[in-house]
Amino acid sequence: VASPTALAAWKHKRAVRVAVRREEDTAMIGKRHPILGEYRLAIGTGEDSPDNRGKITGMQTSFWLDGGNTYDASFVVMDVIQLRCDSAYMVKNYGTRGDVCKTNKASNTAFRSMGMIQAMLVQEDAIERAAHAIGMLAEDVRGKNLYQLGDTTPFGQLLDDCYMGVVWTYLAKHCNFRERLEEVNRFNAANLWRKRGISMIPVKYASGYNLTLLEQTGALVEVYDQDGTVLVRHGGVEMGQGLMTKVAQIAAYELNVPLTFINMSDTDTNVVPNPTSTGASTGTAFSGGAVRDACLKLRRRLEDFCLDLLKENGSVWCQDQHINFWDYPQGWRTPVPQPAPPPEAAPQKPAPKKHVDPVLIWNKIVSLAYVNRVDLSAQVRFKQAGGEAADSGLTFKSPKCTEPVNHFTGFTYSAACTEVEVDVLTGETTVLRSDVMYDVGKSINPAIDVGQVEGGFIQGLGYVLTEDVVFQPDGENKGALNTLNTWTYKPPAASTIPIEFHVDLYPREESSDAPENPYDLLSSKEVGEPPLVLAATAYFAVKHAVLAARRDRGHDEWFDLEAPATVQRVREACLVEADNLKI
């Protein structure tokens, strides 16, 4: 879209705007990468020792991405998959490889979770198939192979803050998994044409970009002497994810001023140049980190200014000037008493009340700093610590890494449980209930974070249940995209949302024995991308419901089901034939 627009503008020497209809837009623009996965998994049967039953002793996964007609971001997506698809599981003999296939379709591109949801479906299917083969519950296999504190990932990063197992147990208890599994089994035994399934899956998701040069951004913070308000500018883009609200909270917290004093400016590269793309769930971490550093720089400058005045003029003078913030628990947030207006200035009638920000010690300090020509602005270039290891062109063949490396700035440890009901005759799926226990560390804004988890999870439901991309297989229009709009392409709708939807932020204090990650901003973690991956629970819940239907027709083997699990695919997988419909 950009290239022909730029060409026309250059050719005609004037501004050109291109508006594309949905049909052309959908046909031209790349999408999330389709993936072909292959797996091999070795699992203990318990014949040698009961303790080894369900223990994964080896896993090998191979991935092929459909990159489309150019490579675009495809190799980056593959790098993300390779470094994240170990997910929550500690497997001593672990291997993964991948490649990108160039095809004659529109070039596929980056999308929320960067291929992780596709990789999760492949890996979790390996665990499901292995558990089914030894007659063991997949959730029991998962619980037995979770990463523990002090483990090292296959690519050599030490998990020195891991509490995956505690989150897993916490969710199982709070969503009543065992009791609901028994109820699902009773329902399936009593119903022929409607079946239920339930699935619970953990996710360890790595934070940050897979390129160190991107782990930076800038910020400019300025204070106005007239009223003490603060103007905050940074390189992040607000797109409905609550970035500006969270950054404003960070600025207010670090400057110790009321939130009403903080004004957020729109993103402007004339002011803050060279911003990093607002993606990879780094918006708050990077932009918030830059603003935090700028605010701390300002705060130290103003504190030093006041302490110098204390040395020069004494405490009584500072009290008279109302800058003695050290005498109050609230610091310079403390309101300052204002002198009453002279009698002649008092109005005859009471004036209507209006909101006026209180005058604080902060206001007095700022005004005095301006008079003394103290710089009331601070600009910083923020560099995210951690995650400096090179992540492109990966080739790791050694069974052990000689020393730990940091590919990522940290990890989230989350889990979800989803229960579905399938209409065996039509293939229609109803998501009855989803429970998400999301690890955001210590949330800066729980309302925003819960909303992000909800949105990401529902977007994931669309990917695993309804959003099928269909190309014409033959004929005159062979290769044409048939799913051009919402008449044929089905994004999640109101009916996709779970009837009962529980989203909770994992209470970090439950894992106080695990040290906090020093690279997390104010002990908070990313929240944009990992929730989408947790929607894989719906896909496997559907597979279990379909398996219950297949058992009624004498088929107990684990089976393949292409994602998304659309009504057509679910209906066909249930193996209902005409003879099954006779009375």
Side-chain angles (χ1 to χ4, degrees):
V1 176
S3 299
T5 310
L7 177 61
W10 175 82
K11 176 71 175 176
H12 296 287
K13 303 296 188 290
R14 60 179 296 179
V16 173
R17 176 177 180 266
V18 171
V20 184
R21 294 191 312 161
R22 184 185 297 276
E23 287 77 3
E24 283 77 29
D25 181 28
T26 310
M28 292 166 56
I29 305 303
K31 301 155 188 68
R32 180 186 283 279
H33 291 79
I35 192 170
L36 174 64
E38 182 182 88
Y39 55 72
R40 294 176 175 84
L41 189 145
I43 190 169
T45 62
E47 294 179 3
D48 54 342
S49 169
D51 293 338
N52 290 335
R53 187 166 186 264
K55 193 71 177 175
I56 300 174
T57 57
M59 177 183 284
Q60 170 68 51
T61 52
S62 300
F63 303 102
W64 290 269
L65 287 186
D66 180 349
N69 68 332
T70 75
Y71 285 127
D72 191 67
S74 299
F75 282 113
V76 177
V77 172
M78 180 54 76
D79 287 345
V80 170
I81 289 173
Q82 296 298 289
L83 287 174
R84 285 183 170 93
C85 66
D86 62 306
S87 188
Y89 308 111
M90 176 62 191
V91 180
K92 291 185 178 180
N93 302 294
Y94 178 87
T96 176
R97 66 187 186 92
D99 207 345
V100 178
C101 304
K102 208 175 198 181
T103 65
N104 59 357
K105 296 189 291 187
S107 182
N108 291 310
T109 186
F111 191 82
R112 195 174 190 169
S113 87
M114 292 287 282
M116 181 60 176
I117 180 67
Q118 298 99 300
M120 278 285 294
L121 293 177
V122 174
Q123 177 174 275
E124 293 295 343
D125 198 71
I127 292 175
E128 291 276 358
R129 188 182 293 270
H132 185 77
I134 65 172
M136 193 170 173
L137 192 67
E139 283 74 13
D140 290 339
V141 173
R142 293 180 177 116
K144 200 165 189 175
N145 292 277
L146 296 175
Y147 275 117
Q148 303 295 326
L149 181 66
D151 285 341
T152 302
T153 66
F155 48 85
Q157 184 153 348
L158 178 65
L159 300 179
D160 51 3
D161 66 341
C162 179
Y163 42 90
M164 186 73 257
V166 183
V167 176
W168 177 255
T169 304
Y170 191 86
L171 174 64
K173 176 182 177 182
H174 281 74
C175 75
N176 300 313
F177 175 75
R178 297 291 173 179
E179 294 84 347
R180 289 169 58 198
L181 176 62
E182 293 176 2
E183 180 57 34
V184 164
N185 292 336
R186 284 193 293 268
F187 179 90
N188 290 340
N191 291 272
L192 183 62
W193 302 116
R194 298 190 76 84
K195 298 294 183 181
R196 292 182 179 178
I198 188 170
S199 176
M200 184 170 147
I201 294 176
V203 171
K204 173 184 69 66
Y205 196 96
S207 307
Y209 281 102
N210 289 91
L211 189 60
T212 306
L213 69 88
L214 294 177
E215 298 188 335
Q216 60 171 311
T217 193
L220 173 64
V221 178
E222 300 172 293
V223 182
Y224 291 84
D225 83 293
Q226 293 90 343
D227 58 2
T229 55
V230 181
L231 180 62
V232 176
R233 307 172 193 259
H234 58 79
V237 176
E238 174 63 60
M239 58 190 91
Q241 81 279 38
L243 172 63
M244 294 299 186
T245 301
K246 286 176 131 181
V247 172
Q249 288 180 258
I250 292 168
Y253 174 75
E254 295 299 352
L255 288 176
N256 191 29
V257 298
L259 190 59
T260 55
F261 278 43
I262 307 297
N263 295 308
M264 301 299 300
S265 174
D266 291 336
T267 304
D268 188 346
T269 54
N270 287 327
V271 179
V272 181
N274 307 316
T276 296
S277 165
T278 305
S281 306
T282 63
T284 299
F286 289 10
S287 296
V291 168
R292 180 174 186 260
D293 285 356
C295 289
L296 289 173
K297 189 175 180 180
L298 267 172
R299 182 169 179 165
R300 284 192 295 268
R301 186 183 302 156
L302 290 173
E303 286 176 346
D304 290 344
F305 167 68
C306 292
L307 294 176
D308 287 342
L309 291 177
L310 175 63
K311 291 179 183 178
E312 294 172 8
N313 303 297
S315 59
V316 175
W317 184 90
C318 291
Q319 292 171 13
D320 293 339
Q321 298 296 319
H322 297 296
I323 66 169
N324 56 326
F325 66 89
W326 48 82
D327 290 330
Y328 302 94
Q330 286 185 284
W332 53 42
R333 286 174 60 106
T334 306
V336 176
Q338 295 300 300
E344 60 273 15
Q348 298 298 320
K349 295 182 180 180
K353 290 184 179 180
K354 62 178 181 179
H355 173 74
V356 178
D357 287 327
V359 175
L360 311 178
I361 290 179
W362 161 264
N363 299 85
K364 299 294 185 179
I365 292 173
V366 169
S367 292
L368 198 57
Y370 176 76
V371 169
N372 286 270
R373 298 186 295 181
V374 176
D375 187 4
L376 292 176
S377 68
Q379 187 169 17
V380 300
R381 194 71 195 170
F382 173 77
K383 295 187 293 184
Q384 174 65 49
E388 292 90 357
D391 297 334
S392 298
L394 303 169
T395 304
F396 302 138
K397 294 183 180 178
S398 172
K400 288 186 178 180
C401 298
T402 55
E403 57 184 44
V405 294
N406 283 333
H407 287 276
F408 301 104
T409 60
F411 301 88
T412 61
Y413 305 101
S414 307
C417 176
T418 298
E419 182 179 349
V420 304
E421 183 172 304
V422 167
D423 187 319
V424 176
L425 296 178
T426 67
E428 181 184 9
T429 295
T430 302
V431 183
L432 300 177
R433 175 176 168 179
S434 288
D435 295 80
V436 179
M437 190 62 63
Y438 189 77
D439 169 35
V440 73
K442 296 178 181 178
S443 175
I444 294 174
N445 188 313
I448 289 176
D449 289 340
V450 167
Q452 282 290 289
V453 174
E454 291 172 340
F457 188 84
I458 298 302
Q459 192 172 28
L461 286 184
Y463 177 75
V464 301
L465 296 181
T466 64
E467 297 182 55
D468 197 18
V469 179
V470 180
F471 292 89
Q472 181 64 27
D474 50 29
E476 183 179 347
N477 293 321
K478 181 179 179 180
L481 180 65
N482 289 333
T483 46
L484 292 171
N485 52 43
T486 52
W487 186 252
T488 50
Y489 182 81
K490 304 299 180 185
S495 58
T496 316
I497 298 172
I499 294 174
E500 195 174 340
F501 196 14
H502 303 275
V503 174
D504 292 293
L505 303 179
Y506 175 70
R508 180 63 175 85
E509 59 271 14
E510 291 288 324
S511 301
S512 56
D513 57 326
E516 293 190 19
N517 181 359
Y519 305 132
D520 288 338
L521 175 63
L522 298 176
S523 300
S524 68
K525 298 185 180 184
E526 66 173 322
V527 73
E529 296 191 312
L532 184 145
V533 183
L534 293 167
T537 52
Y539 169 82
F540 288 103
V542 169
K543 287 198 77 168
H544 282 287
V546 171
L547 182 60
R550 292 164 67 98
R551 282 175 174 148
D552 289 342
R553 274 156 283 286
H555 292 272
D556 187 48
E557 71 282 359
W558 193 249
F559 60 100
D560 293 330
L561 178 64
E562 187 176 342
T566 60
V567 289
Q568 296 92 334
R569 290 176 180 144
V570 171
R571 162 67 180 81
E572 292 170 2
C574 287
L575 301 179
V576 177
E577 303 294 342
D579 290 342
N580 300 131
L581 304 178
K582 293 179 180 178
I583 297 178

